[in-house]
Amino acid sequence: MKALTLRQPWAWAVLHAGKWVENRTWRPPAGIVGEPFAIHAGFKEPEAEDVASAVERAGIIGRTTVSAPAEFQRGCVVGVATVTGFVEVDGDGRITAQHPAHTRLAAQALASPWFIGPVGMFLADVRALATPIPCRGMLGFWPLPPQIEAEVRRQFG
C-alpha cells in the first residue's frame, strides 16, 4: 500500500470536513488511480491561516458544524482514501488533462472551494483510523513499511 503525506489541517479536512480534492503540482501516478492509499499527517505544525481556510471552506460546502480540533494529529497515518481520478488546469483555468473516466467530476472539482490546482486528485472511500499509527512521511506517494501497512489493514478488518 502506498501513502501520501498531507500537511495539517488538510489531512484533517479530508477525513472530517469533506475535502474530496487533493491539490498537487503533479499528476497522480497511473497505478494509484483506483487503489486505496494511506493518508499520512505530516509532522509540521499547521499554520493558523491554513486552519482558518480549511474551516471556512468546510462551511462553504455546507458543513457548518465542523470545527477544527485544538491540536491536530501529526507524524502518523490517520486514514485511507482512494484516488478515483484527477483534473489538471493551466494558468488560465483551462483543463489540460483529466482522468477519462471522471469528466463529470472535473467540472465539480474546478467549482469546489477545495480546488486550488493546478492538479486536483479526486478522493473517495475516505475512512479515518480509530487509532493513528506513528510513522515518518515522505514526498509524493511512498510505500508504507510492511508493519505499518499490516496495522492499517488490521484496523479496517
Side-chain angles (χ1 to χ4, degrees):
M1 176 181 279
K2 300 284 186 185
L4 181 64
T5 299
L6 281 64
R7 288 182 31 216
Q8 290 290 25
W10 307 115
W12 165 82
V14 167
L15 294 170
H16 304 289
K19 182 179 185 286
W20 64 277
V21 179
E22 175 56 24
N23 298 285
R24 297 290 165 171
T25 58
W26 42 267
R27 295 179 192 172
I32 202 69
V33 175
E35 294 296 318
F37 71 94
I39 298 169
H40 177 266
F43 189 73
K44 185 178 177 185
E45 184 76 30
E47 301 289 334
E49 58 269 13
D50 287 342
V51 175
S53 177
V55 172
E56 176 186 3
R57 290 170 196 228
I60 288 170
I61 61 169
R63 295 180 179 265
T64 56
T65 60
V66 173
S67 59
E71 190 166 317
F72 290 92
Q73 297 165 327
R74 296 181 294 129
C76 55
V77 174
V78 293
V80 296
T82 301
V83 174
T84 61
F86 71 93
V87 64
E88 181 178 24
V89 298
D90 65 16
D92 295 323
R94 291 184 301 247
I95 295 175
T96 57
Q98 62 186 345
H99 191 271
H102 291 88
T103 304
R104 165 184 69 78
L105 285 177
Q108 291 176 1
L110 295 178
S112 169
W114 296 116
F115 180 80
I116 59 171
V119 176
M121 293 184 277
F122 313 144
L123 305 180
D125 304 322
V126 176
R127 296 174 284 164
L129 290 174
T131 305
I133 307 164
C135 179
R136 291 185 60 135
M138 295 180 210
L139 296 175
F141 281 96
W142 48 275
L144 276 179
Q147 67 276 17
I148 303 295
E149 180 177 350
E151 178 59 19
V152 168
R153 292 187 186 281
R154 186 195 67 74
Q155 288 195 38
F156 289 118

